[in-house]
Structure formats: C-alpha cells, structure tokens
Amino acid sequence: MTAEIVAAVLWTGVTAYAIFGGADFGAGFWDLFAGGSQKGAAPRELMDEAIGPVWEANHTWLIFDLVVLWTAFSEVFASVMTTLYVPLTLAAIGIVLRGSGFAFRRVTKQLAGRRLFGATFALSSVVTPFFLGAVLGAIASGRVPLGQHGDPITSWVNPTAFLTGFLAVATCAYLAAVFMVHEAHRNERGLERYFEVRAIGASIGAGLLALVGIYVLSNDAPFLFEGLTNEALPFVIVSAICGLATLAMLWKGMIRGTRVLAVLAVAAIIWAWGVAQHPYLLPGEITIQQAAGAEATMVALLVVFALAAVFVVPSLIWLYRLADEDRLEATEG
Amino acid sequence: MLASWFAASFSAAAQPPPQLLPARMQMAFTLGTHIILACLGVAFPLVVLIANWYALRKDDPVALLLAKRWSKVMAVVFAVGAVTGTVLSFEMGLLWPRMLGQFGDVFGFPFAVEGIFFFLEAIFIAIYIYGWKRLSPKVHLWTAVPVVIAGIGGTVSVVAANAWMNHPAGFTMTPSGELTNVDPMAAMFNAGTGYQGLHMLLAAYMVTGFLVASVYAVGWMKGRKDRYHRLGFVIPFAIAAICTPIQIIVGDTAARQVFSKQPTKFAAMELVWKTGPNQPEYIGGILNEETGEVTGAIAIPGLNSILAGFSVNTVVQGLSEVPPEDRPPANVVHLAFDTMVGLGSLLLLLSGWFGFVYWRKRDLPKSKLFWLLAAASGVMAITAMEAGWIVTEVGRQPWIVYGIMRTEEAVTDAEGVWISFGVFVTLYAVVALGTVVVLRGMSRRWRETSDLDDIEDTDVPYGPRHAHEPHESEPG
C-alpha cells in the first residue's frame, strides 16, 4: 500500500514537471521560432519575463522525481539508467545548456551575446523534452529490462519512443502557448492573437500526433495500447475532451479557463499512461509492489512528502501568485 | 529475486572494468565543479541578507546597492549551480547504477530531504531576486531568510549521503547481498553526518566569503578605496573570518573521527606505514609504497599520535596493516590533506590579522601583504575545499561504500564513458567561460554606471537612492 502511495506521489511529481517544466521548455520552443532579433523581440521579452522567476522552481520537479525514483524504486532507477544512458545523457547536457543559456541571456546586453545565449537556450529547450519524452516511451513500451542492459540504441530509437519524444515537444509548445495567451492578455501588449495562433497550431499538432499514436502504439506497444483502451480509457477521453475544448475556445478567442483545460488535458494523459501500465512500473518486468524499497524507507518518504506539502506547496503557490500579480520583476542586469 | 543481478556483481572482478577510470574522472570533475557553485548557492544568500539588513537598518544606500548587485550575481551562479546539480542526480544512476540499485533505499533518503530543501531554496531565491521592486522592503528582506535556512538544511542532508558512504549505517546485509533492517533515519544520521555536514557548511561560508571579498580586495589594491569597496570587502570577509577558526576546530575533530572510524584513510592522510605509538607528523613528503619509507618530509616526532589521541602513546594503524588492493593512493591523499591544512592555517592567520587590526584600530589593515593575501584568499579557500574533497573521496578508495562495496563493483557497464567524460569537460568549460564573460560584463557595466544616471534604480521606492559619496563600482 505504501508503495502504491509513493508511486502515486511520484506520478504527481512527473505530472507537475510535465506541466510546469513543460511550459518552460515550450517557451524556449517559441523563442526558437520567434524570428529575427527585431521581429521576435516583443514575444521573447514577454516569455522571458514570464518564466524568469519560476523556471528554477519548476525545474526542481525533475530532481524530485529522480530522487524519489532512486530512493523508493532503486532497481528500476538503476535499470532505466543503464539501458537509456544515451538519451538521458543528452537530456542532461540539454538541461545544462538551457539553464545557463537562459541565465546568461538575461544579464547580457550586447546583441551578439544575446543571440548566442538565446539560441543555445531555445535549441536545447526543444531537444531536451524530446529525449525525456523518448525515455518515457522506452519505459512505457517495455524496452527497459530489469537488472540487465537493454539495447542502448534500439531501446529509444523506435516508433513509440520517437512518438512520445515528439509528443513531449508538442505538449511543451502547447502548454507554453496557452499560458502565454494569458500572460499577453494581462500585459496588454497586443500579443494575445500571436500566442493564440500558436496555441491553436500546437494543439492541432499534438492532436495529430495522438492520432498517429493510436496506430503506432497498437503495433509497437500492444501492452500499453491495451491498457490505454481499457482501464485508462476514461483518462484518454478526458484528455481528448479537454484538448478539444481548449482548441474550440481559443478559436473563438475565449481565454478564461483555457489554462486549466490545457493543464487537465496534459495531466490526464500522464495518468492515462500510469493507469495503463498499472500495476507495473516497468511493463512486463516488475510491479510497483515488487520494485518497492524497504518499508521503513517508504514510510520515511511519505513523511517527507507530508512536510513538502506543508512547506513547499504554499511557497510555490505564493511564488506563482506573486508572478501572476506582476509583483516579481527583474531589475536591470 | 531482484537482488540476483546485484548479488552477482558482488564477486569482485580481477581486472578493474575499463569504464572505471573515466567514470571516476567524470564524477570527480563534475562534482568538483558543482561544489564551487553549490558553496555560492548556499552561502551567498547570507552575505546578501546581511548587506540588505544593514542597508535597511542604517539607511545605507551603498550597502543596498551592494545587496542588489550581489543578488544579481547570485541569480546567475544559482542558475548554473542548479543545472550542474541536476547533472549529478543523473550521474548517480548513469555512472554508479549498481550502488544506487543496491543501496538506493538506504542512502537515498537524505537526498529526498535535500530535494525538499532545494525546492524551498529555489522558490524563495526567485522571490527575493525578482521581488526587489514590488515587495515591501521588510517582506523582501524576510524572503531571504528561508533561502539561508534551506541552504543549511540542504547542505547537511546531501553531505549526510556522502558521510554514509564513509560510515555506512542503517541496514544489515545478508551473505547473499540482500539488505534487511533498513533504517533510513539511521542512515541519514550516521557517524559522519555531524562533523562532515558542519565541516562542509563552514567551508561553503569560507569559500563564498573569501571569494566575494577577494574581488573587492583587488579593487582596493587598484586604488578604489571608497566606502563601496570597503563594505563590499568587510561584509563577506568578516563572515569568512568568523568561520575560519571554528572550521579549524571542526576539522581537527573530524580528523580524530577519521582516525577512529576510517583508520586506513587516516593512515594515508598521515603517511603512517607501520602500526604503533609515537607516530611522527609528516609535513609534505612522499611515501614509497613498496618499502614504507617516507622521503622529503618535515617530520615532527610524536605529533601525529598526540593529534590523534592527545598522547604520544596513541597507537595509530598503519597502511601495511591492510592488503595493497585495499589501500588508497596514500601520496595523493597525504598531499591533498597537507594542502587543505596549510591553506586553512594561512586563512586563519589572515583572519586573525584582519580581526586584530579591526579590534585595535577600527580600520582595515594597511599592509600591502595583507591585501595581496586577501586578494588570493578566494582561490585559496576553493583550493583548500577541493583538497578536502580529495582527502575524503580518494582516501576512501578502493571503496565506494566503505568496507562494503568497491567502486569497481558500483560502476556502470555502459560503453562510451570516455566520450561522455570528454563531452562534459567541454560543456563545463564552455559554461565556465560563459559565466566569467557575463559576470565581467555586468561588472564593467556597473563600473560605467554611476548611480545618479541609473534612472531605473532611482524611480522606485525600494532601490538604491543616490550615494552620498561618489564612487566607482567594481564587480560584485
């Protein structure tokens, strides 16, 4: 039972990273395609302001997820790391380049430097979620054997992992664009339509990928497909409805509520994956129960989670509220 | 059933696996880089907090300007530290999967605690850095307090995980390699957590204090002897100077802990070959690891025994006691230990010098030698800290978990570790270059901007007001 609760908290952590970290990555995606330094200046500046105060806290979810995985489900962590070291190393490199590129651009005034750091930030923002998504796809399609070395290449160079990689990038772009519509609306800088168009484009892209996914998964990951079309079907439907509703509202130029719907669409798909492979942690290899570490450790982790709920969650909410009320802003570098 | 793979890995290989060397080098390199940034992430907030508090209390615009600028430097350093720290959590699994697979649920717990502290630190540092203009000065000042506390808690937690590798506790291992009686609290609060945690925390404050102060010492020597540079020097230097004598005492206690709990490491630190009383203290020197002879050292008779147990009769275990394959490379450990102690002592003298002059004259020392040493103190503190990590990490070899798991048993089987090592060296070199370039750019910009034409800073209620005296600004 404790193992199931810890796994649920881990899934919540993954969901939080997908949403908040995802929106940050997505900002880098739109930064990459914002055009030249003249044309792209206004949207870039707005995105910069939006993610500046929150990206490090958002990013901490990844550390949280890794640490919980290795403490609670050590063998699974070791197996994932030994099989998928290539995409994970590439993701780690991407994370370093992205964080430092972003921080450096903020405090750089010369155009050449800003361009270099900005391009580094933007490019790694697109590449990193792809590799992280591919890792999830590799796990979900049962390509990580327990305690052995899966193939270092074919474990993630395959239809499912590529699908989830691209889906991750599309999801990030989608979330960022929807969030930025709100940001633009609040700031009244005339960028609402700019981000609405992009949010619509990203949601259509993500939707098409999901449709392709039905075909890919039914062939390449039958176990996952089976789960998604049975136990997890309600989650898939919720995700589809929320996604379509967001799309329709954005089309009509309605803003209120789209943020929540977009978040629900993404969260539902992460939980659909979890439910689909439940009770397995590594599909076909090991269940949550079997993978769980010592009971004392699981209990200790639950205590830490409770403390986190008391201290971290209110602090995070305060941070987001301050950011939302425009009470956080950078002074000149 | 799960442990079969890990149990199988326990039969020690005759030849160390080829990926052991690059894996160790990559870990040492990335950790050695991150630790400098981590020190700044942990201790810089206190420096900024004190400057900010002083500024509000004394209504001092110079201190406020320093606090503001330091917070911007802190933002850059914290960002780079956050991502290099993330790399380490990947590397735990990428390089040492078997240690994590075997012991993750024992020593992972302090990392989980550290994760929570880091979360709080990341949240409040963002609020502090971005809250200068719109939060009330009091509220804003208070938002730095959780950053300081979370930094302390995070340091102790993450060092607890390292201390566990030196003092494994909180589990029982069956002959087949299965772990029972796992107690994460006992693992976290192992015999090394207290002294190692305190030792690292003080090191973080020393590194940050001396490093920040050394920037202003350089400015001072260049003739910028204004209030801005005086405060910029005194605040961080005083913090470091207070920590240094405490650090010497903690370090001395730590050495005695190593003597009693990790005798082989202690023997390597002190180049003790044959077990016995009345051991000399070697300063410098090289041990011949065949014959046990020490050459080129200054030997102080009996002092090592006295330091270890307050008496020349204290018996110290020698390296020859353990088989060669269980010994760390003694000379590396010994020279690193001497480097740490030597630089620490020099910093103690420098702190005493500063304290004495300030006590007698209420002024900064005038001596050129003092300022030269102060300008070098940041680099000295970093070198001492890195040397200390070499002592504890190389000194534990060949074990990754002391007495239980060898480093070669923990390493990944993955190929291409040399490639990943090369990539990370290149990557970190680029990031280090970027950090230096942007920080220098900021400092140049600040030096060119006098406060009076800094409109953005003066049009808000909570920002530096006009300085009472003209001054040039040097990097913060």
Side-chain angles (χ1 to χ4, degrees):
Chain A
M1 190 59 208
T2 45
E4 296 277 338
I5 300 172
V6 171
V9 174
L10 176 61
W11 234 264
T12 310
V14 172
T15 311
Y17 185 58
I19 290 164
F20 298 111
D24 284 347
F25 281 123
F29 180 94
W30 297 120
D31 193 300
L32 185 64
F33 297 110
S37 49
Q38 286 285 323
K39 195 172 135 231
R44 280 202 179 98
E45 198 186 324
L46 191 61
M47 289 191 286
D48 218 62
E49 285 171 22
I51 67 171
V54 294
W55 76 267
E56 274 160 322
N58 291 344
H59 184 78
T60 310
W61 285 110
L62 175 63
I63 299 176
F64 175 85
D65 296 340
L66 287 171
V67 167
V68 172
L69 183 62
W70 90 46
T71 306
F73 308 104
S74 324
E75 280 105 333
V76 169
F77 174 77
S79 306
V80 169
M81 287 285 173
T82 31
T83 296
L84 296 169
Y85 63 90
V86 177
L88 285 164
T89 302
L90 292 171
I93 293 166
I95 286 166
V96 172
L97 286 174
R98 178 175 189 276
S100 35
F102 183 75
F104 293 166
R105 184 174 69 174
R106 283 199 77 84
V107 295
T108 303
K109 294 271 200 258
Q110 290 95 339
L111 186 62
R114 289 185 64 84
R115 272 190 179 144
L116 175 69
F117 294 137
T120 307
F121 156 71
L123 202 60
S124 48
S125 293
V126 177
V127 171
T128 309
F130 174 81
F131 288 120
L132 291 174
V135 165
L136 297 190
I139 296 170
S141 58
R143 287 183 162 97
V144 177
L146 182 72
Q148 301 157 39
H149 300 275
D151 191 293
I153 302 300
T154 58
S155 55
W156 63 283
V157 180
N158 60 60
T160 305
F162 269 51
L163 171 79
T164 50
F166 288 124
L167 203 54
V169 176
T171 307
C172 292
Y174 167 64
L175 282 170
V178 174
F179 283 21
M180 286 313 297
V181 171
H182 284 257
E183 202 72 25
H185 180 65
R186 225 158 30 78
N187 280 282
E188 295 171 353
R189 289 190 213 164
L191 285 166
E192 250 174 274
R193 200 64 213 158
Y194 179 94
F195 284 110
E196 264 170 20
V197 171
R198 278 155 182 77
I200 290 167
S203 69
I204 292 172
L208 289 177
L209 273 171
L211 290 178
V212 175
I214 296 175
Y215 172 75
V216 170
L217 294 184
S218 65
N219 283 296
D220 191 56
F223 177 83
L224 183 65
F225 184 76
E226 164 87 21
L228 287 174
T229 46
N230 287 292
E231 301 95 322
L233 194 60
F235 288 91
V236 177
I237 292 170
V238 167
S239 179
I241 291 174
C242 291
L244 286 171
T246 319
L247 180 61
M249 287 169 73
L250 287 170
W251 201 281
K252 296 250 174 205
M254 292 159 69
I255 295 178
R256 267 182 79 101
T258 48
R259 245 188 336 187
V260 176
L261 284 171
V263 166
L264 280 176
V266 176
I269 211 69
I270 304 264
W271 283 81
W273 161 43
V275 171
Q277 69 168 52
H278 190 269
Y280 283 98
L281 203 52
L282 291 178
E285 292 281 324
I286 189 169
T287 65
I288 292 168
Q289 208 64 51
Q290 291 165 330
E295 182 67 13
T297 303
M298 303 309 252
V299 173
L301 275 178
L302 291 179
V303 173
V304 171
F305 296 153
L307 289 174
V310 173
F311 290 103
V312 175
V313 173
S315 312
L316 258 183
I317 292 172
W318 194 42
L319 171 67
Y320 290 143
R321 282 184 72 169
L322 288 175
D324 239 20
E325 291 163 9
D326 279 331
R327 289 174 70 190
L328 298 180
E329 71 173 279
T331 50
E332 98 300 346
Chain B
M1 71 155 220
L2 306 176
S4 54
W5 170 46
F6 301 106
S9 76
F10 255 68
S11 52
Q15 277 287 319
Q19 62 280 14
L20 180 63
L21 185 62
R24 284 186 63 194
M25 288 174 76
Q26 182 177 327
M27 195 69 196
F29 174 76
T30 48
L31 194 53
T33 311
H34 174 71
I35 192 74
I36 302 170
L37 298 159
C39 283
L40 290 164
V42 165
F44 217 154
L46 181 71
V47 180
V48 179
L49 176 64
I50 288 174
N52 191 354
W53 168 79
Y54 181 84
L56 293 183
R57 203 184 139 87
K58 303 268 175 175
D59 199 20
D60 186 330
V62 179
L64 196 58
L65 184 64
L66 278 168
K68 263 187 95 169
R69 289 181 170 174
W70 282 342
S71 79
K72 287 170 197 162
V73 175
M74 186 166 77
V76 174
V77 174
F78 189 78
V80 181
V83 291
T84 53
T86 310
V87 167
L88 289 172
S89 38
F90 277 85
E91 280 178 338
M92 294 294 284
L94 290 172
L95 300 176
W96 316 106
R98 294 177 179 198
M99 173 172 63
L100 267 294
Q102 173 88 358
F103 297 107
D105 62 342
V106 184
F107 91 126
F109 179 66
F111 284 108
V113 177
E114 197 265 347
I116 302 302
F117 279 120
F118 184 73
F119 229 135
L120 287 172
E121 190 174 1
I123 292 167
F124 281 98
I125 211 166
I127 295 176
Y128 183 80
I129 288 167
Y130 289 89
W132 276 104
K133 283 189 174 177
R134 303 292 176 89
L135 295 176
S136 85
K138 264 227 173 86
V139 171
H140 178 253
L141 179 71
W142 274 101
T143 59
V145 174
V147 183
V148 174
I149 297 170
I152 294 170
T155 305
V156 174
S157 315
V158 82
V159 173
N162 178 267
W164 178 88
M165 292 158 67
N166 293 322
H167 309 266
F171 64 96
T172 324
M173 193 147 77
T174 64
S176 65
E178 297 271 3
L179 301 186
T180 55
N181 298 327
V182 172
D183 180 353
M185 295 305 272
M188 178 156 179
F189 298 99
N190 61 72
T193 303
Y195 77 81
Q196 266 195 250
L198 195 55
H199 202 41
M200 185 63 233
L201 196 59
L202 289 164
Y205 285 109
M206 284 173 67
V207 163
T208 304
F210 285 126
L211 188 63
V212 176
S214 64
V215 173
Y216 295 87
V218 171
W220 192 266
M221 284 164 72
K222 284 184 180 165
R224 303 189 190 115
K225 297 185 182 177
D226 47 40
R227 190 137 183 288
Y228 180 84
H229 280 79
R230 170 186 287 265
L231 267 184
F233 177 78
V234 168
I235 295 171
F237 197 87
I239 294 171
I242 291 167
C243 290
T244 305
I246 308 173
Q247 180 73 306
I248 302 286
I249 297 166
V250 171
D252 181 55
T253 313
R256 262 189 299 281
Q257 281 281 333
V258 174
F259 163 70
S260 65
K261 299 272 172 31
Q262 303 172 76
T264 316
K265 184 186 281 182
F266 189 79
M269 281 157 60
E270 302 284 15
L271 294 188
V272 180
W273 184 252
K274 267 213 164 75
T275 304
N278 204 7
Q279 297 284 356
E281 177 76 23
Y282 292 116
I283 298 171
I286 297 285
L287 172 79
N288 182 327
E289 288 173 72
E290 303 287 320
T291 62
E293 255 177 290
V294 176
T295 47
I298 303 167
I300 305 169
L303 183 62
N304 184 12
S305 284
I306 294 173
L307 288 173
F310 304 111
S311 153
V312 285
N313 298 321
T314 309
V315 175
V316 181
Q317 188 191 304
L319 278 169
S320 60
E321 203 78 11
V322 292
E325 66 272 18
D326 286 355
R327 290 177 205 154
N331 287 315
V332 175
V333 180
H334 173 65
L335 291 178
F337 181 66
D338 280 5
T339 304
M340 174 183 73
V341 173
L343 288 172
S345 308
L346 193 56
L347 291 171
L348 180 69
L349 286 177
L350 195 65
S351 304
W353 190 343
F354 169 81
F356 184 78
V357 172
Y358 203 81
W359 172 51
R360 301 305 302 224
K361 301 188 185 160
R362 295 275 143 206
D363 201 0
L364 298 176
K366 298 264 185 293
S367 158
K368 188 138 193 237
L369 178 66
F370 173 84
W371 287 100
L372 267 174
L373 288 171
S377 64
V379 175
M380 289 197 280
I382 289 172
T383 311
M385 176 195 58
E386 298 282 7
W389 274 109
I390 291 173
V391 172
T392 195
E393 290 301 292
V394 178
R396 193 187 52 244
Q397 301 305 320
W399 305 99
I400 194 163
V401 181
Y402 187 59
I404 292 177
M405 183 184 246
R406 284 170 176 272
T407 312
E408 64 193 51
E409 291 166 342
V411 77
T412 179
D413 294 344
E415 283 166 22
V417 184
W418 277 113
I419 297 171
S420 107
F421 173 51
V423 168
F424 275 100
V425 170
T426 315
L427 180 67
Y428 279 33
V430 169
V431 171
L433 182 70
T435 310
V436 171
V437 167
V438 300
L439 290 182
R440 286 187 66 98
M442 284 159 79
S443 103
R444 196 172 44 245
R445 212 152 60 226
W446 287 339
R447 217 173 311 149
E448 286 160 1
T449 321
S450 94
D451 269 350
L452 296 163
D453 50 21
D454 200 342
I455 299 154
E456 210 187 341
D457 270 348
T458 48
D459 65 350
V460 287
Y462 186 47
R465 276 131 293 183
H466 302 306
H468 297 306
E469 48 190 293
H471 59 262
E472 278 191 61
S473 340
E474 172 65 9

